[in-house]
Amino acid sequence: MRRLTILGLCVGAGLLFAGCPKGNEHYKAAEKAENLQDYDTALQYYQKAVAADPQNAGYRIKLDQIRFEAGEYHIKKGQALREKGDLQGAAAEFQRAETLDPSSSIATQEFRYTLDQINAAARKQDEEAAGPSAAAGADSELASGPPELKPLSNSPISLKMVNDVKLIYDTIGKQAGINVIYDPDFPARRIPVELNNVTLQQALDIVAMQSKTFWKPVTENIIFIAQDTTQKHKDYDEQEVETFYLSNTVQSQDLTEIANGLRQVLNLTKVQQLNSQNAIIVRDTPDKLAIARRLLKDIDKAKPEVVVQVEVLSASTSRLRDLGILPGQSASITFTPPGSTSTTGTTTTGTSTTTTATGIPLKGFHFGATDYSVTLPGATANFLLTDSTTSIIQNPEIRSIDGQPAKLNIGSRVPIATGSFQAGVGVGTTSVNPLVNTQFTYIDVGVNVNITPRVHPNHEVSMKVQVEVSQVISTATIGGIQQPVIGQNKIEHDIRLREGEVSILAGLFQKTDSKTVNGWPGLAQIPILKYLTADNNVNHQESEILMVLIPRIVRLPDWTRGDLRPISSGVEQNITVRKQSDIRTPDVTPQPSGAVQTPSAPAQEPAALPMSGPAVATTSAPQPQTGMNVQGARLHFDPATIALVPGQTATLGVAVDNVTDLYSIPMMLQYDPAVISIEEVQHGTFLSGGNQEIAIVQGGDKSKGQVMIAATRQPNTPGVSGSGTILGVVIKAIGPGSSKLSIVQVNAKDSQKNPLPLLTNEATVQVNKQ
């Protein structure tokens, strides 16, 4: 018996294990690994589950989902490694993502892009190892633009002469070590030129302006001169082709507006718009392309976005009381004289009695109780009380891009008959259905929201709003077709709100009271008897709707100071750009002691072009180097010791002694935040010279007792030498104790951006108890 029991248990256990599929165990293990974000392990278990149960659709769906998640996980990991500079590790992650999810095109793109970076880095290392000559020979790429001028000498040029334009250009070229060639149609023209301490670029531009000519680099040390006419520009101006890929345009109309704007602003004629690639191809001069590049950088910004929280509250209350006894209001009497027969029949509509007169006998006529019947009225007792409350609350959130409409429909679509239809017609027993010629359309019933926002930089949102709350309240038969009767509450308006401001769009309140009395006249008005002789019906209905909008900005216009900064674009007939360094006065480079720079004498022209005066071509005399600080220059506080009580404020001066050509001075102050606090930084008189504003920038973390202060003179102004007060620091006593106010970092510079060494000291602030 015992053996049979053990055998039965073994058989049952085997059947139990046989009934549990192996795929279920793998599926549970995969879910556990997925919850731990171990997507590779989860993918392996899902694959095993599908292999164990190939017909299970749920296993296959989860397998496809985990392929995507595992691929995305490795893509993000590879992107993080690439940002850190680990290109090899990033390529391995992208390759792993491509293996796990072969359908992921982004994994393939990222892998190829990373391989290109690896190959470019390796090529650069090979070129550096082989030397510049090998690198130049191996570089077979197309040139990205026209050549740039690289003169042998960047010394400032000073020139005063009256002579032919060619001779002036040649003189400037020889001083800078460049060659000058001319257009065959270039005419002779005498002009006066006086240049004083200018760069090569400035000298060439000034001569070109005076002589109505233009110049362009042919190579790095050769320039070409021609007349400044429209035809010559067409013949000799270099042109470039560039493709601009835009990343923030949503519709093709946006791309069209940008292309038309470039045509109008820069007079571009060769502009091709590619809607399929979201790109614009432009072919024109390098200067126009530079301006177009800047404009597209300023324009191609992510549009602002706003989340509008919509709250719709609809509450309705209905109370019905039907109380009383409704007595009959009519009675009937029917006579059945002798000789009449009554026939009672039953039909589909009820029971009917037919009386047929067979005649009244004249002999022996008599009239008794059986010859008539009386029908007395009945009564209906009503005891009904109905109290219903309906509350509808909708709280959706709509996210929309600036200027783009957003729609939200919550509810049902109700069919409405439209078009032509006719009532049923027919002959005899044949009729035509009235719905033969009827068409139907569907309208949205419920909560319908249509919002077009416009985000402003000052954290305000303008919105064109259309909100509708509707419901089917009843039905009506029109032309033989039952149509729904729809009640609606709708509002349309334009509003401007601050971020987070609550706007109540509509608060609609409707109240309906009705009372009906049905009974015997007179008796229905008696206070107590009216409930026995009349039916009293009281109906009370209330409905209220409240609609609220709350905008919340999730992305503001991404405008920077660089986007708002204008750029020089030349003249109307010749659009050009200039670098900031091209319009500044050149720095004077000191010459070694005893060295005298003498420019080479210009070649004399034939007798046909005699000079009317002496030609002088000299470089600027060497100037003493700035930035040489006097021994003992130091930065200190004035006074060095001060005593305060909690809550009291005082001003410490930050002064400098024996400094030369001080232009800017960034510094970091360190103190005990539990004892004192720096409340304000005031202007001093040293850097401003008493009549000029200086720029002061303040930052840092006051909770840690660190304040960064930077004081700088106005651009294109020389530095200041001597001694004086740079800043005034307003400190406030916080708590009892003693704190050192130290200058832990200082990076003073002169007008030539050279560092100035300064000795620093510290101040002591004692805060006493009150």
Side-chain angles (χ1 to χ4, degrees):
M1 185 65 182
R2 183 178 180 181
R3 293 180 179 178
L4 292 176
T5 303
I6 295 174
L7 181 61
L9 292 175
C10 293
V11 172
L15 293 175
L16 180 62
F17 284 112
C20 297
K22 188 69 173 178
N24 194 21
E25 297 179 4
H26 297 317
Y27 186 80
K28 292 181 178 179
E31 285 184 331
K32 185 181 296 184
E34 184 179 1
N35 293 332
L36 297 176
Q37 295 185 350
D38 187 1
Y39 299 112
D40 293 345
T41 305
L43 177 61
Q44 295 177 2
Y45 278 115
Y46 280 129
Q47 289 175 339
K48 292 180 181 179
V50 171
D53 190 2
Q55 304 300 326
N56 194 320
Y59 292 175
R60 291 186 174 275
I61 293 175
K62 290 297 295 184
L63 177 61
D64 294 336
Q65 292 177 351
I66 202 64
R67 283 185 188 277
F68 175 78
E69 293 178 0
E72 287 294 313
Y73 171 76
H74 286 284
I75 289 174
K76 293 180 180 179
K77 190 174 179 181
Q79 291 173 345
L81 291 175
R82 188 173 61 192
E83 290 179 359
K84 295 179 180 179
D86 187 2
L87 298 180
Q88 298 292 341
E93 291 295 334
F94 293 137
Q95 191 174 18
R96 176 65 176 167
E98 187 178 8
T99 303
L100 296 177
D101 187 9
S103 63
S104 176
S105 58
I106 185 66
T108 304
Q109 292 176 357
E110 293 287 351
F111 179 66
R112 292 176 180 175
Y113 178 67
T114 307
L115 284 183
D116 292 340
Q117 288 185 319
I118 294 174
N119 295 332
R123 191 184 308 112
K124 185 177 180 180
Q125 292 179 356
D126 295 340
E127 292 175 356
E128 292 177 354
S133 59
D139 189 4
S140 60
E141 295 184 358
L142 298 177
S144 59
E148 294 184 1
L149 190 60
K150 294 183 179 180
L152 298 178
S153 174
N154 291 318
S155 300
I157 297 175
S158 295
L159 179 66
K160 182 178 181 181
M161 61 187 302
V162 179
N163 214 315
D164 185 70
V165 176
K166 289 186 177 181
L167 180 61
I168 296 175
Y169 273 120
D170 290 338
T171 303
I172 296 175
K174 289 182 179 180
Q175 290 193 42
I178 60 174
N179 299 321
V180 183
I181 59 177
Y182 301 92
D183 179 59
D185 301 331
F186 192 83
R189 181 182 302 171
R190 295 172 62 85
I191 62 171
V193 173
E194 183 174 357
L195 307 175
N196 184 20
N197 194 27
V198 296
T199 63
L200 173 63
Q201 175 87 20
Q202 294 170 350
L204 294 176
D205 290 341
I206 293 172
V207 175
M209 185 184 302
Q210 288 186 277
S211 60
K212 302 298 182 180
T213 59
F214 73 94
W215 64 275
K216 52 166 287 188
V218 179
T219 63
E220 294 181 349
N221 62 344
I222 299 176
I223 62 173
F224 176 80
I225 311 296
Q227 286 183 282
D228 189 9
T229 61
T230 303
Q231 184 60 41
K232 293 298 181 181
H233 278 288
K234 290 183 179 179
D235 295 339
Y236 296 116
D237 279 348
E238 297 280 348
Q239 291 194 345
E240 297 179 358
V241 178
E242 186 170 354
T243 303
F244 300 98
Y245 292 94
L246 306 180
S247 57
N248 293 292
T249 55
V250 179
Q251 301 175 349
S252 59
Q253 180 182 356
D254 300 338
L255 206 61
T256 303
E257 290 180 358
I258 294 175
N260 292 337
L262 293 178
R263 291 190 184 97
Q264 294 293 329
V265 173
L266 300 178
N267 294 326
L268 300 178
T269 57
K270 301 177 180 64
V271 180
Q272 179 62 43
Q273 176 180 333
L274 299 178
N275 295 332
S276 60
Q277 298 295 327
N278 207 30
I280 296 176
I281 300 177
V282 181
R283 180 175 182 266
D284 217 299
T285 62
D287 290 334
K288 289 186 177 181
L289 285 182
I291 300 177
R293 193 179 303 112
R294 164 67 187 275
L295 293 178
L296 291 177
K297 176 180 175 296
D298 297 342
I299 294 173
D300 190 22
K301 303 285 188 180
K303 291 186 177 181
E305 294 185 43
V306 61
V307 172
V308 181
Q309 183 178 356
V310 183
E311 296 181 359
V312 180
L313 295 87
S314 176
S316 61
T317 302
S318 176
R319 291 192 296 270
L320 173 65
R321 188 186 69 180
D322 192 355
L323 182 63
I325 298 176
L326 179 63
Q329 300 176 359
S330 63
S332 63
I333 181 170
T334 304
F335 292 95
T336 308
S340 301
T341 59
S342 298
T343 304
T344 302
T346 302
T347 64
T348 58
T349 59
T351 303
S352 62
T353 301
T354 304
T355 304
T356 304
T358 58
I360 300 176
L362 296 176
K363 183 180 180 180
F365 172 76
H366 65 278
F367 186 76
T370 59
D371 297 331
Y372 66 93
S373 61
V374 178
T375 302
L376 298 177
T380 303
N382 295 320
F383 302 96
L384 177 63
L385 179 64
T386 301
D387 191 350
S388 62
T389 301
T390 303
S391 178
I392 301 175
I393 300 178
Q394 299 285 354
N395 189 18
E397 290 186 353
I398 305 175
R399 180 164 180 168
S400 177
I401 300 177
D402 181 70
Q404 298 296 325
K407 297 181 181 180
L408 174 67
N409 300 323
I410 302 176
S412 306
R413 293 178 63 85
V414 178
I416 301 294
T418 60
S420 61
F421 57 93
Q422 58 186 6
V425 296
V427 178
T429 60
T430 303
S431 61
V432 180
N433 195 311
L435 300 180
V436 170
N437 298 326
T438 305
Q439 296 85 33
F440 288 88
T441 186
Y442 289 84
I443 64 173
D444 295 318
V445 175
V447 178
N448 303 318
V449 182
N450 189 350
I451 298 177
T452 303
R454 178 72 66 181
V455 182
H456 303 283
N458 59 348
H459 290 261
E460 292 187 357
V461 181
S462 297
M463 294 183 292
K464 184 177 181 63
V465 182
Q466 177 181 341
V467 180
E468 177 184 349
V469 180
S470 58
Q471 64 278 342
V472 178
I473 57 177
S474 62
T475 58
T477 302
I478 302 175
I481 300 176
Q482 194 173 28
Q483 298 274 31
V485 178
I486 299 174
Q488 69 173 1
N489 296 276
K490 184 176 181 180
I491 184 170
E492 295 184 17
H493 66 164
D494 296 335
I495 57 175
R496 179 164 178 164
L497 303 174
R498 295 188 304 272
E499 181 183 11
E501 182 180 355
V502 178
S503 173
I504 300 177
L505 297 181
L508 304 179
F509 181 79
Q510 183 177 3
K511 182 178 180 180
T512 303
D513 292 325
S514 63
K515 182 177 181 180
T516 304
V517 178
N518 190 7
W520 290 346
L523 297 179
Q525 306 298 326
I526 301 176
I528 297 178
L529 192 61
K530 65 180 181 179
Y531 294 107
L532 301 177
T533 60
D535 180 30
N536 296 271
N537 187 300
V538 178
N539 190 3
H540 175 75
Q541 293 182 353
E542 292 182 0
S543 63
E544 184 177 4
I545 294 178
L546 183 69
M547 290 176 280
V548 178
L549 291 181
I550 305 175
R552 303 189 186 278
I553 300 174
V554 295
R555 179 180 291 148
L556 282 170
D558 188 16
W559 297 338
T560 62
R561 289 184 178 272
D563 299 332
L564 304 178
R565 177 178 175 269
I567 56 176
S568 175
S569 59
V571 297
E572 177 68 21
Q573 299 299 328
N574 186 18
I575 297 178
T576 57
V577 295
R578 292 183 293 180
K579 298 180 181 179
Q580 189 70 23
S581 58
D582 295 338
I583 60 177
R584 291 178 178 174
T585 303
D587 297 335
V588 179
T589 305
Q591 298 182 7
S593 177
V596 179
Q597 182 177 358
T598 57
S600 57
Q604 296 294 332
E605 288 291 314
L609 297 173
M611 295 191 302
S612 61
V616 181
T618 60
T619 57
S620 300
Q623 301 291 335
Q625 183 178 3
T626 59
M628 299 299 295
N629 204 13
V630 180
Q631 184 67 23
R634 65 190 185 97
L635 192 67
H636 62 91
F637 293 99
D638 185 21
T641 304
I642 190 173
L644 302 172
V645 295
Q648 187 179 2
T649 60
T651 302
L652 291 180
V654 180
V656 65
D657 294 336
N658 301 325
V659 71
T660 302
D661 194 27
L662 179 61
Y663 180 78
S664 64
I665 179 168
M667 67 184 75
M668 176 183 284
L669 304 184
Q670 182 76 39
Y671 58 90
D672 187 357
V675 179
I676 62 174
S677 173
I678 294 181
E679 299 295 319
E680 185 183 355
V681 178
Q682 299 177 349
H683 287 261
T685 59
F686 181 70
L687 282 180
S688 64
N691 57 5
Q692 186 183 84
E693 290 291 333
I694 63 174
I696 295 181
V697 180
Q698 180 181 352
D701 189 354
K702 293 185 178 181
S703 62
K704 297 181 180 179
Q706 295 179 348
V707 174
M708 292 289 299
I709 304 173
T712 307
R713 286 177 57 80
Q714 294 294 330
N716 300 324
T717 59
V720 182
S721 302
S723 303
T725 301
I726 299 176
L727 302 169
V729 180
V730 180
I731 63 174
K732 180 180 181 181
I734 303 299
S738 178
S739 173
K740 295 291 186 181
L741 183 58
S742 306
I743 303 175
V744 295
Q745 291 182 9
V746 62
N747 187 20
K749 291 186 178 181
D750 60 13
S751 59
Q752 304 301 325
K753 305 300 186 293
N754 298 319
L756 291 175
L758 294 175
L759 300 176
T760 62
N761 64 356
E762 59 186 17
T764 302
V765 181
Q766 182 68 37
V767 180
N768 302 318
K769 296 182 179 179
Q770 294 181 348

